[in-house]
Amino acid sequence: MSTLFRLSGARRDDPDVATWFEAGDDGIRRLALHWFDRIRACGSDVLQIMHDHQPTACVEDAAFAYVAAYRTHAAVGFFHGADLPDPAGVLEGAGKRMRHVKLKWGQPAPEAALEDLIAAAYADIRARLAAGP
């Protein structure tokens, strides 16, 4: 297992995350909020923090997912996405670890595949934490 990406200061309710979602009354941020709510619903141990101007979800201090809003699309990203099963082939990116799913406003989202990725990312981070350093 690879090194965890750790962020100090994550908490259950981060006012900076709420402010980010409230800052733009556009469909893209609402789309991102929908998926960030799904990420937060994974478990009572999911914490949140702003990192690089993006709402980020952690278990303990280990980041596992984030959302981002751009002019034409939203993204749901996974810090260890390269290690996640992706039978639907919806993950994008070529980095060493991170992958994301791009969601375009007005186009159907790959709901089932994204739900599976979120669940897998959450299970993965919990397993990495349980494995220890």
Side-chain angles (χ1 to χ4, degrees), residues 10-129:
R11 50 187 158 175
R12 185 76 181 140
D13 293 303
D14 186 331
D16 293 336
V17 169
T19 298
W20 186 89
F21 283 113
E22 294 165 1
D25 185 23
D26 58 58
I28 300 294
R29 283 194 195 223
R30 282 194 303 275
L31 183 59
L33 175 59
H34 170 77
W35 289 104
F36 199 66
D37 283 343
R38 294 294 226 321
I39 293 166
R40 290 189 280 207
C42 285
S44 60
D45 57 348
V46 175
L47 306 176
Q48 57 189 318
I49 191 169
M50 289 298 294
H51 172 70
D52 284 346
H53 309 288
Q54 298 167 337
T56 301
C58 303
V59 172
E60 297 176 15
D61 62 349
F64 73 97
Y66 67 91
V67 296
Y70 303 100
R71 189 174 52 81
T72 61
H73 70 277
V76 180
F78 304 97
F79 285 89
H80 296 280
D83 296 330
L84 297 178
D86 182 25
V90 296
L91 286 173
E92 297 183 30
K96 187 174 182 179
R97 292 187 181 93
M98 295 179 72
R99 298 286 184 276
H100 65 277
V101 176
K102 193 180 290 186
L103 305 170
K104 298 209 175 196
W105 181 251
Q107 294 182 4
E111 299 254 344
L114 197 43
E115 290 281 359
D116 289 348
L117 285 167
I118 290 168
Y122 175 67
D124 177 71
I125 201 67
R126 288 181 50 97
R128 289 172 190 272
L129 286 165

